[in-house]
Amino acid sequence: MTKILITGACGQLGSELTSELRRIHGNHQVVASDISEPNERLGEGPFEYLDVTDESSIKKIVDQYDIKIIYHLAALLSAKAEKNIYLGWKLNVNGLLNVLEVAKEKSLEKVFWPSSIAVFGPDAKKINTPQNSACNPTTVYGISKLAGEQWCAYYHRKFGVDVRSLRYPGLIGYKAMPGGGTTDYAVDIYHKAIKEETFECFLEKDTKLPMMYMRDAVKATITLMNAPPDKISIRTSYNISAISFSPEEIAESIKRKISRFEIQYKPDHRQDIAASWPDSIDDSKAREDWKWKPGYNLEKMTDDILKHLPEFWD
Ligand code: AKB
């Protein structure tokens, strides 16, 4: 059986991907790792403390469990990286380089690594941003993701490492809280709505951003990883898209169900980050190469979150 290692498994995407991969492959085939304590959302299965900035620790776990595939998710998100430039680079780029080195040395079957819409900056086409639009990011996080994409392409070209990547938009789930991102408001808003509290939004009401429901993000990740290598024509990172909305539009979709819900706008430093990113993304390459198709629009996502969030957090 192919053994899988997930780094950053306690994060927002990590916890949902870990539990889904454990459901598919069996609990003991999937080793979760993080620098945080494991939580019950990961499900049953092996857990290891792992700091990805230490290459020898990655090697040790790969040898110990005979790991063949790594989903390398450990990262510092945009708002946090802006506050801690050096850690943003060290974790996001050196961490990836360590994983790629281990993949090369141990001849791993595959690696997954998340990039982001943050690789685009103000020079990129704002609406339906194409795969190869200008990538001149103005954030630490965007710079680290752009460098990471080029490292992935390099390790594939030079050493044949089968590393695959997606440029995630803002990911929205109800099972775990995100930490340190600019798109996080779109998760917090549902928690406040359920508690019938007024939501204070750190972005302007009309700032549209590309977003995706977590179920779609998990589906996209697993579909990409299951695609035959000859279907992967992009070795930097695929544009991927699902929904695009502003704070005002998500608030309206919540008000359909919770009419008393109220939102106030108090833009802070994250507004500048959001303003530098695209409104929407053209993902035609992903649709063409491995038949990507999202399942959730804004209304369907809101209905699903409002239905499940209370049972999950009570
Ligand atoms: C963030 O807001 O930093 C992330 C991202 C868009 O990559 N969610």
Side-chain angles (χ1 to χ4, degrees):
M1 269 302 260
T2 302
K3 283 266 183 124
I4 297 172
L5 170 66
I6 304 183
T7 74
C10 296
Q12 196 204 6
L13 172 64
S15 20
E16 298 216 23
L17 196 58
T18 303
S19 63
E20 182 60 6
L21 288 171
R22 283 183 168 163
R23 192 189 63 74
I24 296 170
H25 299 281
N27 290 347
H28 290 276
Q29 303 308 316
V30 180
V31 181
S33 72
D34 208 300
I35 53 166
S36 311
E37 288 291 309
N39 56 57
E40 70 286 355
R41 295 185 236 300
L42 301 176
E44 292 277 301
F47 181 90
E48 293 287 337
Y49 174 89
L50 176 60
D51 173 0
V52 295
T53 62
D54 176 14
E55 190 188 332
S56 63
S57 306
I58 307 174
K59 260 190 210 149
K60 202 167 142 231
I61 294 174
V62 165
D63 286 341
Q64 185 187 339
Y65 290 93
D66 197 19
I67 296 293
K68 297 287 181 230
I69 296 177
I70 300 183
Y71 288 76
H72 171 46
L73 308 181
L76 210 62
L77 293 184
S78 55
K80 271 203 181 150
E82 221 50 40
K83 302 260 177 222
N84 198 337
I85 296 176
Y86 180 68
L87 183 63
W89 181 264
K90 189 170 143 191
L91 179 56
N92 295 0
V93 184
N94 295 0
L96 171 64
L97 271 175
N98 288 341
V99 169
L100 291 173
E101 267 301 301
V102 173
K104 178 184 98 180
E105 209 178 292
K106 305 278 174 193
S107 303
L108 297 192
E109 279 172 25
K110 272 179 252 181
V111 175
F112 175 81
W113 174 76
S115 184
S116 161
I117 54 159
V119 294
F120 298 114
D123 298 344
K125 190 168 172 264
K126 196 94 179 133
I127 297 169
N128 283 335
T129 310
Q131 177 70 37
N132 288 322
S133 201
C135 287
N136 293 316
T138 49
T139 62
V140 171
Y141 178 67
I143 295 169
S144 73
K145 289 295 179 185
L146 186 59
E149 287 190 2
Q150 293 301 323
W151 280 121
C152 290
Y154 184 89
Y155 270 73
H156 177 257
R157 197 167 56 239
K158 272 278 212 213
F159 309 117
V161 173
D162 188 354
V163 50
R164 304 172 180 203
S165 175
L166 297 173
R167 288 174 176 158
Y168 288 127
L171 301 185
I172 306 165
Y174 58 87
K175 294 190 183 168
M177 293 304 282
T182 303
T183 57
D184 295 2
Y185 88 86
V187 177
D188 292 342
I189 195 169
Y190 289 106
H191 288 259
K192 286 284 187 308
I194 288 284
K195 289 191 227 144
E196 301 202 356
E197 289 173 16
T198 300
F199 177 64
E200 199 171 278
C201 184
F202 57 71
L203 297 185
E204 305 267 19
K205 64 177 178 183
D206 55 355
T207 304
K208 265 192 199 270
L209 285 171
M211 301 278 188
M212 183 179 282
Y213 192 31
M214 191 58 83
R215 290 188 206 269
D216 272 339
V218 169
K219 181 177 88 172
T221 310
I222 293 175
T223 308
L224 172 73
M225 287 298 270
N226 286 340
D230 63 345
K231 293 284 174 212
I232 311 294
S233 68
I234 306 227
R235 288 296 181 167
T236 47
S237 188
Y238 277 95
N239 270 13
I240 183 132
S241 116
I243 327 172
S244 175
F245 58 78
S246 64
E248 195 173 32
E249 286 164 337
I250 190 175
E252 281 310 314
S253 92
I254 293 173
K255 276 187 200 160
R256 283 184 307 117
K257 297 272 168 182
I258 305 174
S259 57
R260 287 194 306 279
F261 175 64
E262 281 185 32
I263 180 165
Q264 287 171 0
Y265 299 94
K266 280 215 179 143
D268 66 15
H269 60 102
R270 288 167 281 193
Q271 176 60 34
D272 290 342
I273 301 179
S276 76
W277 290 349
D279 284 15
S280 57
I281 296 285
D282 172 3
D283 63 358
S284 43
K285 263 293 173 199
R287 290 177 190 250
E288 202 179 298
D289 285 2
W290 39 276
K291 310 292 166 241
W292 161 245
K293 197 168 176 280
Y296 286 82
N297 61 20
L298 177 56
E299 306 312 330
K300 201 169 160 197
M301 175 179 79
T302 295
D303 291 351
D304 203 56
I305 295 180
L306 293 179
K307 181 167 162 213
H308 294 292
L309 196 145
E311 68 203 41
F312 208 83
W313 286 91
D314 283 348

